[in-house]
Amino acid sequence: MTILLVDDEPSYRMLVRLSLEAEQWTVREAENGQAALDILHDETIDLIISDVYMPVMDGIKFHKT
């Protein structure tokens, strides 16, 4: 399973990524909604975990896209 973790806070992404990888899941990271869309354009993702408040494109706009 590949999980896309979308959050503008690097320390939060690292903490969550390490926890998920400990469970043997593959984790991709994006710092905002636009970066997440770029990843989704090129890769198959099974689950998305996203923050709501982020610069460039927030989680609400990302969800509606």
Side-chain angles (χ1 to χ4, degrees):
M1 175 180 278
T2 302
I3 298 171
L4 176 57
L5 179 59
V6 188
D7 196 295
D8 60 318
E9 180 58 48
S11 60
Y12 176 78
R13 288 196 320 265
M14 182 181 71
L15 177 67
V16 175
R17 178 180 48 81
L18 292 173
S19 297
L20 294 170
E21 288 176 342
E23 297 299 322
Q24 305 302 312
W25 294 0
T26 302
V27 179
R28 296 282 287 130
E29 297 180 40
E31 64 275 3
N32 59 58
Q34 184 58 57
L37 287 176
D38 293 343
I39 291 171
L40 289 169
H41 184 273
D42 296 328
E43 299 181 37
T44 300
I45 301 295
D46 300 300
L47 176 68
I48 300 170
I49 301 172
S50 177
D51 187 9
V52 174
Y53 301 106
M54 298 178 287
V56 181
M57 179 187 291
D58 64 29
I60 295 169
K61 188 172 181 182
F62 168 65
H63 174 72
K64 291 180 179 181
T65 303

